[in-house]
Amino acid sequence: MATEHSRLCSLIDHYLRPYTETGSASVTKETEKELLIALSQVYTEIKLWMKEYESDDSFDMEGNSVGGGRIIPESHAANHHCLTNVIEVLMVMVAMENPYMNHLIGNILVAVSDFLVESESCWGEYINLLYLCVEVPIFNGLSSMGHMMEVKNLSGDPSPSSLLKLSLKSASWSTAAVIMRVLHNVLKQLNRDLIDQFFNIFLEATIYFISNMPWILLSEVYHVQGDSNSDRLLQMQEEKPKSILIFQGYLLQLLCSLVKSGWTDAAVIASAEHPFIFEIKNLLPRLLSSCLSNGQHSDNVAICQYLKHKMLILMIRLSNQIHWEHSIVISWLDLIHTYFQDVLAQPMEGQEFVLDKYLEGSPFGVMTFDMGKKWISSKHLQRLSIFLFLKCSSSLLSMKEMTDQHYACKNLKSCSSYDMNPKCCSRRKALLELHEWLRELLPGDCFIDHDMYSEKRMDFVSSFLQLYMQEDDILFEMLLQMLCLPFYSEKFTNEVALSDDEVREFSLISHLFHPIHFFHLFLAGIHYDHQVLLDYLISKDTGASSAEYLLRCLRKVCDSWNIFIEFSWSGKCRSRKRKKFSTDDHNSMGEIMLVSSCVSGDILPPDTKRKKAYGCHNEDYVTQMSLFECARNCLFQLKASIESLHQKNLFPYNPLVLLRRLTRFQELCGDDGP
């Protein structure tokens, strides 16, 4: 008879412990082969135990094992000792820094977690021990640089800390990276199985880990200060070791996954930030400094790009969970300028990226120029940074001012876009931020109030939209965010008491972000193809956000009808969105029929239909049909398609609200309809 923890301990001792008693950190090819086989056997055995728990006839209701004796309850201390022994052996092997072995060890540690979840025994202690295996290597690294660090004991019990510290005495950042990846994989398993009880335990362990890490020291130790004269410090900080960057990547992965989880919604609704969200919000400046300090050296540039990507994802997800305050938004804008200004001010077109090793849109993708001395971030990072910047600016615009702060700034030019002036009203600060950002991207003559420059401004908006058209996940988030910008109304400019010159400038800027202009250019970007809109609406990823955007735009169109029908633009769209042709789109000769959303009515002969369809899809013929007509016919076709699918119960949700809005649009078209 044996306990479950004893079985686990015996399994590790039998297959793996002999290899840890050699005293050597390196392995021969033959030993490596033997170790890989032994690790695979351990993993397979644990997975077989999992199947025993999942099988209905392996255990009876009393907990008796059919294949052996009764499971003997162990004391808490004994169980803890077994888990410590298991992790101790595996950590010695992780320190060998063999990538193939570390992959298998990671799988074993995740399997052990699953096994403990099934047996409902000591899983919380196991997670705490894993976090300890992250802390010790980090403190080892800091101690090697002259900073004396000591790991706190777990729950007042010195035994696990002492035992693991001995096995981790030579552990490096690579060990911390391996275990952080394991913790992230454990979290993914919990999210997949939706086990709330264990998720809460994991969250508490993560909060404890975060609160005990020396973040201030970590943010400074690899960051060269401008007034530092220490040769040793400069030599130490010449290039951040790759293992640290990899660890930071896994850490950010974990934090992003935790912030993404739906558990925070209830806290936000209850107007109380969860302790984890509060910790991450306060940690953010140090985290940015730690992960994004030091230059992008040629060997690590792809990883640095990835760290930027994960930091932006973390901030965007965190922005949905925190309660915005004036000071928080101002500090975030300052952080964006500090760490992402190069991406924020990057031209929206004119840069061609050659990605030999990475897929297009990859967060690892970069482009070199100036003989390899400088780097340009990928368009993906540009999308994220602009989205976050505009979200912060929009939040600042929406804030109500205190009475003693309102109208504090007599002129926008009296406030620096980067200074946190407490007397500067939120709306003025936001407008100034937007003004400075657009000045970086638009030629100066675009701010002249003249029709000849209106086309240039629309070209900029088109390029802006094309930037997001390539990534559906964030496209509609951005479009919805643009609808939240309140400053395009005359009422708003009067409320903020702008001077005449400022009103002129910002009325031109607001023209760029007019929601009806955006909607027109969005439809042009998909070549007025109602099938693309339909794909968005029925997609599980974009269905909700695209439906919300379409509903809100249709309301604005109906409320500002003249603006919609009078919109004009002679630019060219470069979107890659195309209709996905099906078998129904082929004629009897097997040729693809161009049945476009610009085709109106059945009274036109087939050749004329094709010509009109071609007109809306082809830039050379677009002048023969107004933008209003193309947009109108696209929406008519969309309405007909939704109605057809709904009648057959094939539409994935109830579209009646959307159909009513489209019907209202059709009524306003009146005689212009088909």
Side-chain angles (χ1 to χ4, degrees):
M1 296 188 298
T3 66
E4 294 305 292
H5 291 85
S6 296
R7 288 175 69 191
L8 191 60
C9 205
S10 299
L11 181 69
I12 297 295
D13 285 344
H14 175 71
Y15 283 104
L16 302 178
R17 186 172 289 278
Y19 295 98
T20 66
E21 296 172 348
T22 61
S24 175
S26 60
V27 294
T28 64
K29 285 291 184 182
E30 185 62 29
T31 304
E32 178 187 3
K33 182 179 178 180
E34 293 175 1
L35 269 171
L36 291 174
I37 293 173
L39 288 166
S40 298
Q41 289 173 322
V42 169
Y43 177 73
T44 302
E45 189 70 21
I46 297 174
K47 297 301 285 185
L48 287 175
W49 294 352
M50 292 289 296
K51 289 183 178 179
E52 290 180 11
Y53 273 102
E54 294 169 359
S55 175
D56 292 335
D57 56 359
S58 292
F59 292 89
D60 62 25
M61 296 298 293
E62 299 296 325
N64 294 320
S65 174
V66 174
R70 181 180 175 83
I71 297 176
I72 302 175
E74 277 187 306
S75 69
H76 181 82
N79 288 341
H80 212 124
H81 182 73
C82 282
L83 291 178
T84 304
N85 285 340
V86 168
I87 295 177
E88 175 193 354
V89 171
L90 292 173
M91 289 306 101
V92 173
M93 304 186 78
V94 168
M96 297 177 184
E97 298 190 1
N98 182 295
Y100 305 107
M101 289 168 50
N102 286 346
H103 175 75
L104 283 173
I105 292 168
N107 290 344
I108 290 172
L109 289 169
V110 174
V112 170
S113 170
D114 294 340
F115 176 69
L116 294 175
V117 167
E118 288 293 331
S119 61
E120 298 183 356
S121 177
C122 293
W123 186 80
E125 286 85 345
Y126 178 72
I127 296 301
N128 283 325
L129 288 171
L130 288 181
Y131 268 120
L132 186 64
C133 293
V134 177
E135 288 184 28
V136 173
I138 292 175
F139 286 18
N140 287 347
L142 294 174
S143 296
S144 67
M145 298 174 185
H147 304 280
M148 298 308 297
M149 311 295 298
E150 186 167 353
V151 180
K152 293 182 180 179
N153 295 327
L154 293 177
S155 305
D157 180 7
S159 56
S161 297
S162 301
L163 290 171
L164 277 180
K165 284 171 69 177
L166 288 174
S167 63
L168 291 165
K169 60 182 179 181
S170 60
S172 63
W173 285 97
S174 297
T175 299
V178 170
I179 306 307
M180 189 55 68
R181 182 184 63 188
V182 168
L183 287 162
H184 183 235
N185 289 334
V186 167
L187 176 63
K188 288 195 292 185
Q189 287 290 102
L190 294 178
N191 286 336
R192 187 195 68 179
D193 298 333
L194 301 175
I195 308 176
D196 292 338
Q197 172 191 353
F198 293 99
F199 182 85
N200 290 332
I201 294 173
F202 188 95
L203 200 58
E204 290 176 5
T206 305
I207 294 173
Y208 183 83
F209 166 76
I210 289 172
S211 62
N212 285 309
M213 288 299 295
W215 294 109
I216 295 178
L217 186 57
L218 285 171
S219 66
E220 295 174 351
V221 71
Y222 284 104
H223 182 72
V224 179
Q225 303 295 331
D227 57 352
S228 174
N229 295 317
S230 171
D231 294 336
R232 178 177 176 275
L233 184 62
L234 289 174
Q235 182 180 5
M236 179 177 63
Q237 295 168 338
E238 183 178 1
E239 181 172 350
K240 190 182 293 185
K242 187 177 238 180
S243 57
I244 298 180
L245 296 173
I246 294 173
F247 162 76
Q248 291 171 335
Y250 287 130
L251 172 63
L252 292 178
Q253 275 187 349
L254 178 68
L255 296 180
C256 286
S257 295
L258 283 169
V259 174
K260 181 182 180 181
S261 302
W263 57 270
T264 52
D265 294 343
V268 174
I269 294 173
S271 299
E273 284 179 357
H274 190 279
F276 173 75
I277 296 298
F278 182 79
E279 286 281 352
I280 299 301
K281 181 183 71 176
N282 292 336
L283 173 63
L284 192 63
R286 296 295 179 185
L287 203 56
L288 280 161
S289 177
S290 175
C291 294
L292 302 186
S293 63
N294 205 327
Q296 291 187 359
H297 295 266
S298 58
D299 292 340
N300 296 333
V301 64
I303 300 179
C304 291
Q305 293 291 101
Y306 181 74
L307 293 180
K308 274 193 170 185
H309 156 75
K310 296 308 291 188
M311 281 302 317
L312 285 167
I313 292 293
L314 179 62
M315 293 178 74
I316 289 171
R317 291 179 180 175
L318 198 61
S319 69
N320 297 324
Q321 309 293 348
I322 64 175
H323 297 292
W324 287 109
E325 299 173 357
H326 182 274
S327 59
I328 294 296
V329 182
I330 294 294
S331 66
W332 275 43
L333 284 168
D334 186 55
L335 292 172
I336 291 170
H337 288 305
T338 300
Y339 296 101
F340 305 106
Q341 183 63 29
D342 58 330
V343 186
L344 197 64
Q346 202 168 282
M348 292 198 184
E349 56 182 1
Q351 299 288 355
E352 295 295 331
F353 286 76
V354 181
L355 305 177
D356 295 331
K357 297 194 296 182
Y358 307 107
L359 293 174
E360 182 178 353
S362 166
F364 291 101
V366 293
M367 173 187 174
T368 60
F369 71 104
D370 191 16
M371 300 189 68
K373 295 180 181 179
K374 295 182 180 179
W375 304 88
I376 294 180
S377 298
S378 69
K379 291 296 182 183
H380 172 75
L381 294 186
Q382 188 179 19
R383 283 189 281 272
L384 295 178
S385 61
I386 291 175
F387 174 76
L388 183 62
F389 169 76
L390 291 177
K391 187 168 187 177
C392 290
S393 299
S394 176
S395 298
L396 206 57
L397 279 168
S398 303
M399 289 183 177
K400 301 297 182 182
E401 311 300 335
M402 299 298 291
T403 304
D404 59 345
Q405 292 177 341
H406 201 51
Y407 309 135
C409 296
K410 299 297 184 183
N411 192 297
L412 285 172
K413 296 180 178 58
S414 67
C415 297
S416 168
S417 61
Y418 305 110
D419 291 339
M420 293 174 57
N421 184 350
K423 294 184 178 180
C424 182
C425 72
S426 298
R427 289 179 173 180
R428 283 182 173 273
K429 174 67 175 175
L431 290 172
L432 183 59
E433 287 284 349
L434 290 165
H435 180 267
E436 293 293 331
W437 174 62
L438 289 171
R439 281 286 188 187
E440 290 277 342
L441 297 175
L442 283 169
D445 54 13
C446 283
F447 289 86
I448 299 175
D449 188 9
H450 194 281
D451 289 342
M452 67 178 294
Y453 299 111
S454 178
E455 285 295 316
K456 287 186 178 182
R457 293 194 291 270
M458 287 301 100
D459 288 342
F460 168 80
V461 176
S462 177
S463 297
F464 178 88
L465 276 172
Q466 299 310 316
L467 179 67
Y468 288 90
M469 284 284 194
Q470 301 172 29
E471 196 166 346
D472 293 349
D473 291 346
I474 198 172
L475 168 63
F476 288 100
E477 287 189 61
M478 170 55 75
L479 290 173
L480 288 169
Q481 187 62 53
M482 300 311 295
L483 290 177
C484 295
L485 292 173
F487 65 89
Y488 55 79
S489 66
E490 292 184 6
K491 179 183 177 183
F492 173 79
T493 55
N494 291 333
E495 285 179 353
V496 185
L498 301 175
S499 68
D500 291 340
D501 289 341
E502 291 164 354
V503 168
R504 181 181 60 82
E505 282 199 7
F506 283 113
S507 64
L508 291 174
I509 294 173
S510 67
H511 182 72
L512 290 171
F513 300 109
H514 197 290
I516 293 180
H517 299 168
F518 254 71
F519 185 50
H520 256 300
L521 292 174
F522 166 69
L523 294 177
I526 61 173
H527 297 273
Y528 302 98
D529 191 339
H530 77 284
Q531 290 282 17
V532 175
L533 278 179
L534 196 60
D535 287 343
Y536 284 138
L537 290 171
I538 64 178
S539 167
K540 68 174 184 178
D541 297 321
T542 61
S545 56
S546 60
E548 181 183 356
Y549 177 69
L550 190 55
L551 282 168
R552 293 176 64 178
C553 281
L554 285 171
R555 170 174 286 181
K556 290 183 180 296
V557 165
C558 294
D559 291 342
S560 306
W561 187 247
N562 289 336
I563 297 176
F564 181 73
I565 63 177
E566 293 171 2
F567 178 78
S568 64
W569 175 59
S570 61
K572 295 183 178 181
C573 294
R574 294 167 298 280
S575 174
R576 301 177 187 179
K577 296 288 181 185
R578 290 292 188 272
K579 176 182 174 181
K580 301 173 184 178
F581 293 106
S582 65
T583 55
D584 295 335
D585 297 316
H586 293 74
N587 61 18
S588 60
M589 302 297 293
E591 300 170 337
I592 294 178
M593 299 284 290
L594 287 176
V595 183
S596 167
S597 56
C598 283
V599 179
S600 57
D602 294 328
I603 58 174
L604 296 175
D607 289 343
T608 307
K609 285 186 180 181
R610 291 195 193 96
K611 190 175 183 182
K612 283 221 167 216
Y614 184 74
C616 277
H617 282 285
N618 187 276
E619 293 153 359
D620 297 329
Y621 197 80
V622 73
T623 55
Q624 299 188 29
M625 181 173 284
S626 72
L627 299 182
F628 163 68
E629 290 176 308
C630 282
R632 175 200 65 187
N633 295 331
C634 171
L635 294 173
F636 284 175
Q637 289 274 17
L638 176 66
K639 179 175 177 287
S641 295
I642 294 175
E643 286 174 334
S644 176
L645 290 172
H646 182 51
Q647 289 170 3
K648 300 172 184 177
N649 292 323
L650 295 176
F651 205 76
Y653 50 88
N654 190 338
L656 291 180
V657 176
L658 181 56
L659 286 173
R660 283 198 295 269
R661 201 65 57 84
L662 287 167
T663 299
R664 173 61 179 154
F665 171 83
Q666 193 170 14
E667 290 171 351
L668 286 173
C669 289
D671 295 336
D672 293 326

